[in-house]
Amino acid sequence: MPDIAGLRDELADIELQDDRALLKLKSRDFYWYSPILKKQLDGKTAELIARPRTEDEVLRILTACRARRVPVTVRGGGTGNYGQCVPLEGGVLLDMTAMAAPIAIVDGVVEVEAGAKMIDLDLWCRDQGWELKLWPSTKRTATIGGFVAGGGAGVGGISHGTMRERGNFHGARVATMQDPPRILDLEGQAANPVNRTYGTTGVLTRIKVPLTPAQAWRDVAIVFDDFTRASRFALELTHSDGIPKKMCAVFDSQLPPFFKGLADAVPAGKALVLCAITPAGMTALKELAAEHGGRVVAEQDAVAAERDPELTPFYEYCWNHTTLQVLKKDRGVTYLQCRMPFEDTLAALEAVRIPFRDEIWMHMECVRFGGRITMSALPVVRWTSAERIYEIIAAFEKHGIGIANPHVLTIEEGSNYRRVPGDQLGFKQNVDPLGLLNPGKMRDFTPPETAAA
Ligand SMILES: Cc1cc2nc3c(=O)[nH]c(=O)nc-3n(C[C@H](O)[C@H](O)[C@H](O)COP(=O)(O)OP(=O)(O)OC[C@H]3O[C@@H](n4cnc5c(N)ncnc54)[C@H](O)[C@@H]3O)c2cc1C
């Protein structure tokens, strides 16, 4: 049995919580999107929550946990989709949300404490003329540390790629589980071992990300007679380098009725495109939409919408929010995460959309990967069984569609096209030789040192 009472005594001057309801709540994320993960993860809880305010407190917590062989699972906003912050072996949940201060912007690179909410960080940067290149659709609840360690794709991907694109993640300060725990300052490619490793390769205490000049984004909703036309328009918009854009998503006609706040604007049976464009791009956007038979049905100031808790910025219908919007009304669905081929993207899309149309509702996000344009698909899938999900995955893969499986727990199984180059396993062996950081999430890892206290 881990010595939690001893930990509590040693760390008494740090914020600790062990209320059972809170432990249960904070040990969860959005893994329940997947009925497969729900079965595996329901009931897994930490034994103590520690909420450090400084790097020194992080190091003291790690030192005390290391001495007692207590596992440590880091948590930001707890919005991950695959149980990334669910502690599989109990122990301490390290809540990073008290370390949330922006530090400085130097040469267009912001340095910030890792527990900062992305919306707060973006607004802070925006006041100085900058904005984040990328954010998840959970921008209003997720932390920057959680985005680097557990996400990395989303709004902005249409122009900037993902967090794995060279240059999008500048560096981090990382607390290790070595003997004794210490702080590493990693920059450039040297920071790859902590990029999307679910907190298994260190605790991110500070993050540096490059910014882009702030824009007055406008959310625009455009309807089309059918999904094919909507998709053609979306890809042409993505290729239109003269129209500055932050996102462009396409939804088949089954989905808009689930979008509270937009549903009334979208006539039944129409496909929908949601995009964010600069005011200077609006004329060109509307001309392009009209050429494809599209009609603008709603528009709003995107930045004002995200500042107002009563309003929904359109990105909260996009990315992994699409599935959530459906789940609010229909708990019988789940989802997939796919990357379409770069060549003949629309042919591959139609080859899977049409035969599965009764059980899969198509949702696409236009993206860049390595300078090339394609679409990520996050379709909503009617849940029947695990076997059926794997049949669908196999059918998609036959058409050259890559799958980042959201129904698995480990980095290796779930990542597919989402890994950065570098020896993440070797790095973990060095910084966490006892395997105490989020154990069970890096499949190929075996601790080089024995865990006996
Ligand atoms: C509705 C919905 C929409 C979403 N949309 C997107 C999207 O558009 N793009 C996207 O990429 N993801 C998306 N996600 C997933 C998730 O919201 C994001 O990845 C988000 O950035 C995670 O941040 P968080 O602070 O909530 O991290 P958490 O869920 O708290 O943690 C995520 C992982 O990172 C680790 N971690 C957290 N903080 C640290 C730290 N300081 N040091 C080391 N490890 C740490 C955790 O241990 C965990 O493994 C979505 C999820 C939901 C439920």
Side-chain angles (χ1 to χ4, degrees):
M1 285 291 284
D3 177 17
I4 300 294
L7 261 187
R8 239 192 253 113
D9 289 346
E10 186 176 336
L11 303 173
D13 58 323
I14 293 177
E15 184 180 337
L16 304 175
Q17 288 150 336
D18 59 4
D19 173 72
R20 279 171 66 114
L22 197 63
L23 281 170
K24 205 171 152 200
L25 185 77
K26 294 256 176 173
S27 299
R28 292 171 64 85
D29 60 14
F30 284 72
Y31 66 79
W32 52 267
Y33 268 37
S34 161
I36 298 171
L37 290 181
K38 184 165 168 27
K39 212 161 142 189
Q40 289 173 41
L41 293 179
D42 271 355
K44 305 271 183 211
T45 48
E47 290 144 286
L48 189 68
I49 299 167
R51 192 161 177 261
R53 283 162 304 182
T54 61
E55 246 172 23
D56 262 4
E57 288 191 355
V58 171
L59 287 175
R60 279 184 53 212
I61 294 164
L62 296 185
T63 304
C65 288
R66 191 182 204 284
R68 294 172 177 79
R69 308 302 192 248
V70 173
V72 175
T73 303
V74 192
R75 187 183 205 271
T79 66
N81 288 108
Y82 333 108
Q84 290 123 300
C85 74
V86 175
L88 299 182
E89 297 180 14
V92 165
L93 199 73
L94 194 68
D95 176 344
M96 294 301 288
T97 55
M99 291 178 65
I103 294 159
I105 297 176
V106 178
D107 295 336
V109 175
V110 65
E111 183 171 16
V112 57
E113 287 188 321
K117 254 198 231 172
M118 293 191 77
I119 180 82
D120 298 338
L121 174 61
D122 193 52
L123 294 179
W124 186 80
C125 295
R126 189 164 268 282
D127 284 346
Q128 298 169 71
W130 297 97
E131 67 176 47
L132 294 172
K133 285 182 172 182
L134 298 170
W135 61 75
S137 60
T138 43
K139 180 184 188 183
R140 298 206 281 188
T141 42
T143 64
I144 181 76
F147 188 53
V148 169
V155 182
I158 192 168
S159 299
H160 304 292
T162 69
M163 210 40 129
R164 272 115 26 223
E165 197 77 42
R166 193 188 279 267
N168 279 344
F169 173 38
H170 194 87
R173 279 169 70 85
V174 182
T176 71
M177 257 299 187
Q178 288 159 301
D179 184 17
R182 68 197 69 157
I183 297 288
L184 305 178
D185 235 317
L186 306 174
E187 261 195 28
Q189 297 290 291
N192 280 358
V194 297
N195 192 338
R196 205 166 188 280
T197 49
Y198 300 1
T200 60
T201 53
V203 178
L204 308 177
T205 57
R206 287 188 187 186
I207 308 275
K208 282 187 190 170
V209 284
L211 303 167
T212 186
Q215 302 284 351
W217 297 110
R218 286 201 68 74
D219 280 338
V220 188
I222 310 169
V223 295
F224 293 83
D225 280 346
D226 57 61
F227 186 80
T228 311
R229 282 181 211 212
S231 301
R232 276 202 206 111
F233 159 77
L235 274 183
E236 198 173 334
L237 172 62
T238 310
H239 279 97
S240 299
D241 290 337
I243 305 179
K245 48 206 162 286
K246 200 73 179 183
M247 64 166 202
C248 177
V250 190
F251 306 89
D252 210 346
S253 57
Q254 303 101 327
L255 291 164
F258 290 95
F259 298 171
K260 191 170 169 243
L262 264 184
D264 290 346
V266 183
K270 301 280 185 196
L272 174 68
V273 168
L274 294 180
C275 49
I277 305 292
T278 60
M282 288 300 283
T283 301
L285 173 82
K286 286 179 181 171
E287 283 170 0
L288 183 63
E291 281 169 27
H292 286 264
R295 185 164 60 85
V296 173
V297 291
E299 251 187 81
Q300 68 179 6
D301 175 334
V303 181
E306 69 178 2
R307 285 179 190 223
D308 185 341
E310 300 298 317
L311 296 179
T312 306
F314 285 3
Y315 60 71
E316 288 184 3
Y317 301 111
C318 298
W319 291 93
N320 274 330
H321 262 82
T322 309
T323 311
L324 184 62
Q325 299 293 357
V326 179
L327 281 164
K328 283 180 190 168
K329 293 188 176 167
D330 178 350
R331 292 302 281 257
V333 300
T334 184
Y335 74 125
L336 282 176
Q337 299 177 144
C338 323
R339 189 176 78 182
M340 306 307 289
F342 293 103
E343 304 296 333
D344 298 325
T345 308
L346 294 184
L349 171 57
E350 292 300 62
V352 292
R353 183 181 73 91
I354 292 166
F356 287 105
R357 201 158 184 265
D358 288 340
E359 67 181 312
I360 297 182
W361 301 344
M362 206 45 97
H363 154 213
M364 315 300 294
E365 298 284 344
C366 296
V367 286
R368 273 173 191 272
F369 283 102
R372 300 170 78 195
I373 285 167
T374 185
M375 288 168 143
S376 285
L378 293 109
V380 175
V381 180
R382 171 73 48 208
W383 168 256
T384 44
S385 67
E387 292 70 35
R388 184 62 184 152
I389 285 287
Y390 282 96
E391 276 170 26
I392 294 170
I393 288 176
F396 274 47
E397 285 176 337
K398 256 197 207 153
H399 292 282
I401 300 171
I403 304 285
N405 188 354
H407 301 281
V408 290
L409 271 181
T410 64
I411 301 165
E412 291 88 341
E413 291 169 290
S415 291
N416 194 350
Y417 51 83
R418 299 182 148 189
R419 302 294 291 276
V420 284
D423 182 12
Q424 298 184 333
L425 186 61
F427 184 85
K428 177 160 173 82
Q429 280 168 338
N430 182 27
V431 298
D432 183 24
L434 297 172
L436 292 170
L437 291 173
N438 206 353
K441 304 289 171 56
M442 192 182 267
R443 184 195 55 195
D444 298 339
F445 173 75
T446 328
E449 289 178 20
T450 87

